């Protein structure tokens, strides 16, 4: 017989349990009873939830198979919200530095941050919250309504009742106001009075609130069709609105010719017009392309094209990512385009005039007649009487800037362009007129006079002083006078030159060479020169 699995502390306990079961089978030991004091049938397996038909089914079943009795450790109570347990009078060590409560720290404090916390002021100590810990069972952890107080829904009811009361009060005030206006006026007689009464009755009917009024959204569901979408046997149920009136002829039945517009049964689309030769006023369907090229479909297409072109030109715009931004930019683009178009139109009309206006055209222009005498030859060429006008280019002509009376490039001198009116060669210069021309000529004459005077008063060049240079291989003259300062510098340079000769790494990259040798440099070379026939050469530096 299979028995329920029980954990034993040792093998001895297990052996005793087996002996007890054998004694119960033999009737030597009392039968096992459940928590209610009823005897348990040992022939029923412990893992079975119900007894078989061949056993004594009237006996009590195995209640311990299901957890029919709740655990006393579990509870269904909930937190006591807002409850306080102790109110301290001064700050305690380890309490919240902000409010002074012991049940939380400053990081978890829900009170407004004080300018100076309770730790330093020792005032307005907040009471300690009531901390509770519950051990919920499996269902209690998953009960979404656990701890819900049904009395809180009274606030919702009160809000709606207050709204209805305000509505009734407003309607009553409106009715009293209408009644006062009616009493203030004189009673009308005849049909006028009857019309006024009917109008007032209509107003009263409008002021009444129809509680049984049907929602408009429900009234508009006359064409709603409930059917399964994208499924064969089951799946989600969607709402499909059929906007076609059943009395209308199906579009694939308008023209039964095989070579007429193609109808796609899968998408239920017919792009071309099935009756292209029929009267447009009598046709109610002209193909799906007609819908795509008109109405909001055309506007949406233009919006997409504008978004693509704007993105290609560098703007950060995307129709799918930010449709509102794309639509706003397209609206701004259309407004700016209309303004530019109207501005261009006004400029053209201001320059050339408007032939569509109601102004009368002059007779000489209307009939093409004038008093001018023009002579032509046999080939139709003009001989006399009409001067040929030079055609203007697309660039601006005769635009004078900075007070000039001529354009840039109307004057040429010394391989430079300039203005003819003031003879200036600077492009952005201000026109000085005839006075500027006279001043420029006077400055030129003065410069020429100064050059001539300098050429006449210039003296002959002074002879260059002969430097006393020591020639290589010559003896030192007796009257040679050396400068001590220059000699010291020459000795230093000679030492540096000798060090560079010994070590090539110390030689600089850029070497300067001077062919002129002064007397001091020659003397420094003689002083530093090593004479191989000198017996005292080994004792020199």
């Amino acid at each position: 017989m299979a028995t329920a699995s029980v954990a034993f502390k040792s093998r001895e306990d297990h052996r005793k349990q087996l002996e007890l079961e054998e004694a119960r089978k033999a009737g030597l030991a009392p039968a096992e009873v459940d928590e209610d004091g009823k005897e348990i049938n040992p022939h029923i397996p412990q893992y079975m939830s119900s007894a078989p038909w061949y056993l004594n089914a009237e006996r009590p079943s195995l209640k311990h198979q299901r957890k029919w009795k709740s655990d006393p450790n579990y509870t269904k109570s909930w937190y006591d919200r807002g409850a306080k347990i102790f109110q301290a009078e001064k700050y305690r060590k380890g309490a919240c530095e902000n409010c002074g409560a012991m049940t939380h720290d400053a990081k978890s404090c829900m009170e407004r941050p004080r300018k100076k916390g309770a730790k330093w002021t020792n005032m307005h100590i907040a009471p300690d919250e009531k901390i509770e810990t519950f051990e919920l069972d499996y269902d209690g952890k998953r009960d979404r309504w656990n701890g819900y107080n049904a009395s809180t829904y009274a606030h919702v009811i009160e809000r709606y009742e207050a709204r209805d009361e305000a509505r009734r009060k407003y309607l009553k005030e409106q009715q009293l106001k209408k009644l006062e206006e009616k009493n203030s006026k004189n009673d009308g007689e005849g049909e006028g009075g009857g019309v006024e009464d009917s109008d007032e009755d209509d107003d009263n009917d409008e002021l009444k609130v129809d509680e049984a009024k049907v929602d408009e959204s429900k009234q508009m569901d006359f064409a709603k069709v409930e059917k399964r979408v994208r499924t064969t046997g089951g799946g989600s149920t969607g709402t499909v609105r059929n906007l076609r009136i059943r009395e209308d002829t199906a579009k694939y039945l308008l023209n039964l010719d095989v070579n007429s517009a193609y109808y796609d049964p899968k998408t239920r689309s017919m792009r071309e017009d099935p009756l292209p030769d029929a009267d447009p006023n009598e046709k109610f369907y002209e193909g799906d392309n007609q819908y795509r090229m008109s109405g909001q479909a055309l506007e949406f297409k233009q919006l997409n094209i504008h978004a693509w072109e704007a993105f290609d030109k560098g703007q950060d715009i995307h129709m799918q990512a930010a449709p509102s931004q794309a639509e706003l930019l397209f609206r701004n683009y259309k407004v700016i385009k209309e303004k530019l178009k109207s501005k261009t139109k006004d400029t053209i009309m201001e320059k050339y005039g408007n032939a569509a206006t109601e102004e009368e055209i002059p007779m000489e222009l209307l009939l093409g007649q004038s008093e001018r005498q023009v002579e032509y030859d046999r080939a139709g060429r003009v001989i006399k009487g009409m001067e040929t006008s030079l055609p203007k280019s697309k660039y601006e002509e005769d635009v004078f800037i900075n007070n000039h009376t001529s354009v840039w490039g109307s004057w040429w001198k010394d391989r430079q362009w300039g203005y003819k009116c003031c003879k200036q060669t600077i492009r952005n210069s201000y026109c000085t007129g005839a006075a500027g021309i006279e001043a420029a000529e006077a400055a030129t004459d003065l410069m020429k006079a100064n050059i001539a005077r300098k050429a006449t008063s210039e003296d002959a060049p002074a002879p260059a002083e002969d430097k006393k240079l020591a020639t290589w291989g010559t003896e030192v003259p007796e009257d040679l006078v050396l400068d001590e300062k220059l000699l010291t510098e020459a000795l230093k340079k000679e030492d540096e030159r000798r060090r560079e000769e010994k070590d090539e790494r110390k030689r600089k990259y850029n070497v300067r060479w001077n062919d002129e040798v002064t007397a001091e440099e020659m003397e420094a070379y003689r002083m530093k020169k090593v004479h191989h026939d000198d017996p005292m050469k080994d004792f020199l530096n």
Side-chain angles (χ1 to χ4, degrees):
M1 181 183 67
T3 57
S5 60
V6 181
F8 300 99
K9 294 182 179 180
S10 63
R11 292 184 177 180
E12 186 67 22
D13 296 339
H14 191 197
R15 186 182 60 79
K16 291 180 180 180
Q17 181 67 22
L18 292 176
E19 291 177 355
L20 181 60
E21 290 180 358
E22 294 294 336
R24 285 175 181 171
K25 290 180 181 178
L28 301 176
E32 186 180 3
V33 295
D34 57 7
E35 296 178 356
D36 295 337
K38 297 180 180 180
E39 184 179 355
I40 298 176
N41 190 351
H43 301 286
I44 301 178
Q46 303 296 313
Y47 59 86
M48 296 175 62
S49 60
S50 60
W53 61 271
Y54 52 83
L55 295 178
N56 192 3
E58 286 79 8
R59 301 295 298 274
S61 177
L62 300 176
K63 292 186 178 180
H64 68 278
Q65 187 67 24
R66 296 182 59 191
K67 197 171 184 179
W68 60 277
K69 191 172 183 180
S70 61
D71 194 337
N73 297 327
Y74 294 145
T75 178
K76 292 186 178 180
S77 58
W78 200 245
Y79 302 99
D80 191 1
R81 297 175 179 173
K84 309 295 180 181
I85 56 176
F86 179 71
Q87 173 71 46
E89 297 181 356
K90 61 181 181 179
Y91 183 78
R92 295 158 293 176
K93 184 178 180 180
C96 176
E97 297 179 357
N98 184 42
C99 65
M102 287 290 293
T103 52
H104 62 268
D105 55 356
K107 187 177 181 180
S108 305
C109 186
M110 300 298 294
E111 190 176 336
R112 178 182 59 83
R114 303 181 184 180
K115 188 175 183 180
K116 288 185 178 181
K119 180 178 179 181
W120 296 275
T121 59
N122 208 12
M123 296 173 60
H124 305 291
I125 306 298
D128 299 342
E129 295 90 352
K130 185 178 180 181
I131 305 299
E132 297 178 285
T133 305
F134 301 115
E135 186 177 357
L136 301 176
D137 56 356
Y138 183 86
D139 294 332
K141 292 178 182 179
R142 291 156 179 79
D143 188 5
R144 66 174 64 184
W145 295 99
N146 195 0
Y148 174 73
N149 188 6
S151 61
T152 57
Y153 192 72
H155 299 290
V156 181
I157 299 175
E158 291 176 359
R159 186 174 71 240
Y160 278 90
E161 289 179 352
R163 187 193 65 179
D164 295 340
E165 184 65 26
R167 180 184 298 173
R168 286 192 294 268
K169 185 177 179 181
Y170 172 75
L171 294 176
K172 189 174 181 180
E173 291 177 357
Q174 294 294 327
Q175 291 176 357
L176 292 175
K177 186 176 179 181
K178 290 287 184 181
L179 186 59
E180 291 177 358
E181 291 178 358
K182 180 180 178 181
N183 295 334
S184 61
K185 294 181 180 180
N186 295 329
D187 296 334
E189 296 179 359
E191 297 178 356
V195 173
E196 292 178 357
D197 295 338
S198 62
D199 294 340
E200 292 174 359
D201 294 339
D202 295 340
D203 295 339
N204 294 332
D205 294 338
E206 292 176 357
L207 292 174
K208 292 181 180 179
V209 179
D210 188 6
E211 299 295 340
K213 183 172 64 175
V214 182
D215 189 6
E216 294 180 358
S217 62
K218 296 181 179 179
Q219 295 179 0
M220 295 300 293
D221 288 340
F222 63 94
K224 185 171 68 172
V225 178
E226 295 283 351
K227 68 176 184 178
R228 297 191 177 276
V229 182
R230 297 178 182 271
T231 179
T232 55
S236 61
T237 302
T239 301
V240 180
R241 294 184 180 273
N242 193 350
L243 301 179
R244 185 176 67 85
I245 304 175
R246 295 299 178 180
E247 287 79 4
D248 295 338
T249 307
K251 51 188 173 184
Y252 54 85
L253 297 177
L254 294 175
N255 192 349
L256 300 179
D257 188 3
V258 180
N259 298 324
S260 62
Y262 173 71
Y263 173 76
D264 186 9
K266 184 176 182 179
T267 58
R268 298 182 182 180
S269 61
M270 181 182 288
R271 303 182 185 275
E272 300 178 3
D273 188 1
L275 300 173
D277 299 332
D279 187 5
N281 298 326
E282 298 179 357
K283 292 190 298 184
F284 69 94
Y285 179 75
E286 298 179 359
D288 295 340
N289 288 338
Q290 180 66 22
Y291 299 139
R292 295 186 180 186
M293 301 301 296
S294 61
Q296 294 183 351
L298 182 60
E299 295 179 0
F300 184 73
K301 182 179 179 182
Q302 294 174 353
L303 178 59
N304 276 312
I305 294 174
H306 173 263
W308 296 337
E309 293 178 351
F311 181 78
D312 293 339
K313 292 179 180 178
Q315 291 191 7
D316 188 9
I317 178 175
H318 198 278
M319 183 60 194
Q320 281 71 34
S324 301
Q325 178 190 8
E327 187 173 0
L328 182 60
L329 289 176
F330 183 55
R331 289 181 182 177
N332 297 339
Y333 164 75
K334 290 195 293 185
V335 171
I336 296 173
K337 184 179 180 181
E338 290 296 331
K339 289 183 179 179
L340 183 61
K341 187 176 180 181
S342 60
K343 184 178 179 181
T344 306
K345 182 179 179 181
D346 296 340
T347 305
I348 295 174
M349 291 177 62
E350 182 180 357
K351 187 173 183 179
Y352 299 104
N354 187 6
T357 56
E358 298 180 356
E359 298 179 0
E360 296 182 359
I361 302 176
M363 188 60 66
E364 57 271 12
L365 295 179
L366 185 62
L367 301 177
Q369 297 178 358
S370 63
E371 299 296 333
R372 183 180 299 176
Q373 181 67 26
V374 183
E375 297 182 3
Y376 300 92
D377 59 358
R378 292 185 177 181
R381 293 187 293 267
V382 177
I383 300 175
K384 181 182 177 183
M386 182 179 293
E387 294 77 10
T388 58
S389 59
L390 297 175
K392 290 188 176 183
S393 64
K394 64 179 181 179
Y395 303 100
E396 295 181 349
E397 298 183 7
D398 301 333
V399 177
F400 307 116
I401 59 173
N402 296 336
N403 204 28
H404 289 286
T405 57
S406 60
V407 296
W408 169 260
S410 59
W411 187 64
W412 170 267
K413 184 179 181 182
D414 296 338
R415 305 181 67 83
Q416 287 183 339
W417 292 104
Y419 293 97
K420 186 178 180 181
C421 54
C422 57
K423 295 184 179 180
Q424 296 192 60
T425 57
I426 301 175
R427 180 69 179 271
N428 294 327
S429 62
Y430 194 80
C431 183
T432 55
I437 297 175
E438 295 176 359
E441 292 177 353
T444 305
D445 296 341
L446 181 60
M447 184 176 62
K448 290 180 179 178
N450 292 336
I451 293 173
R453 184 172 63 254
K454 184 177 181 181
T456 55
S457 62
E458 190 175 17
D459 297 332
E465 297 180 358
D466 295 335
K467 296 182 180 180
K468 294 181 179 181
L469 301 177
T471 308
W472 289 83
T474 59
E475 297 181 356
V476 181
E478 297 178 356
D479 58 346
L480 181 62
V481 180
L482 298 176
D483 190 353
E484 296 295 334
K485 188 176 181 180
L486 295 178
L487 181 60
T488 305
E489 293 179 357
L491 289 172
K492 291 181 180 179
K493 290 181 180 179
E494 185 66 19
D495 292 338
E496 292 179 0
R497 187 182 67 81
R498 287 179 179 274
R499 283 196 298 270
E500 290 178 359
E501 288 180 356
K502 292 180 180 179
D503 191 358
E504 289 291 335
R505 294 177 299 176
K506 293 185 178 180
R507 187 174 64 176
K508 298 180 180 180
Y509 182 75
N510 297 324
V511 180
R512 296 182 180 179
W513 187 261
N514 190 5
D515 293 337
E516 297 179 356
V517 180
T518 60
E520 288 81 4
E521 294 176 352
M522 193 66 193
E523 182 66 21
Y525 173 75
R526 289 194 183 99
M527 292 172 67
K528 295 291 184 180
K529 183 178 180 182
V530 178
H531 299 277
H532 297 282
D533 55 351
D534 188 0
M536 302 295 292
K537 64 178 181 179
D538 296 333
F539 299 97
L540 297 176
N541 296 333

